[in-house]
Amino acid sequence: MIRDLLTPEAHQDGYVWAAVLLSHAFIGGVGVMLIGWWFIPVYIAFEVVQAVRARRALYWDSVLDIVAVVLGGLSVAVGSIGAALAVLTIALFGWYVRRDNG
């Protein structure tokens, strides 16, 4: 699971995709709780370094990971049910699109 989180990849299995998305949201929530909003630019820098080291730039994967981290941080910072619902909506949509590929 950790390798899936740290590897730029377009996950085809709907369950893995949703698990990775929700894991990134959790990482964002915990990061913002522990460090504050400084965690977001640190995480974005991490995504850039990860893409460069992997020599495989999957832009949509990085954008989705960053969005999930930001929404996870937002849901913790303001207790917003809307942000949590946005993450779940993205996860359900991604699972629905990929459900026949697994």
Side-chain angles (χ1 to χ4, degrees):
M1 175 63 113
I2 297 298
R3 188 174 347 150
D4 284 334
L5 286 171
L6 297 176
T7 304
E9 182 178 339
H11 304 286
Q12 294 303 310
D13 180 84
Y15 292 108
V16 172
W17 187 89
V20 170
L21 176 80
L22 294 174
S23 297
H24 278 86
F26 181 78
I27 288 166
V30 170
V32 168
M33 277 192 326
L34 295 176
I35 300 171
W37 279 107
W38 285 104
F39 180 76
I40 301 301
V42 168
Y43 181 79
I44 292 170
F46 171 77
E47 277 287 333
V48 170
V49 169
Q50 176 185 358
V52 169
R53 289 196 72 219
R55 295 187 180 122
R56 183 176 174 200
L58 295 175
Y59 299 110
W60 285 112
D61 178 62
S62 294
V63 167
L64 185 63
D65 291 350
I66 291 167
V67 167
V69 166
V70 169
L71 288 173
L74 180 64
S75 67
V76 166
V78 294
S80 171
I81 193 71
L85 289 174
V87 171
L88 288 175
T89 300
I90 293 168
L92 287 173
F93 181 76
W95 170 82
Y96 178 78
V97 168
R98 291 165 176 80
R99 75 185 187 286
D100 293 329
N101 293 331

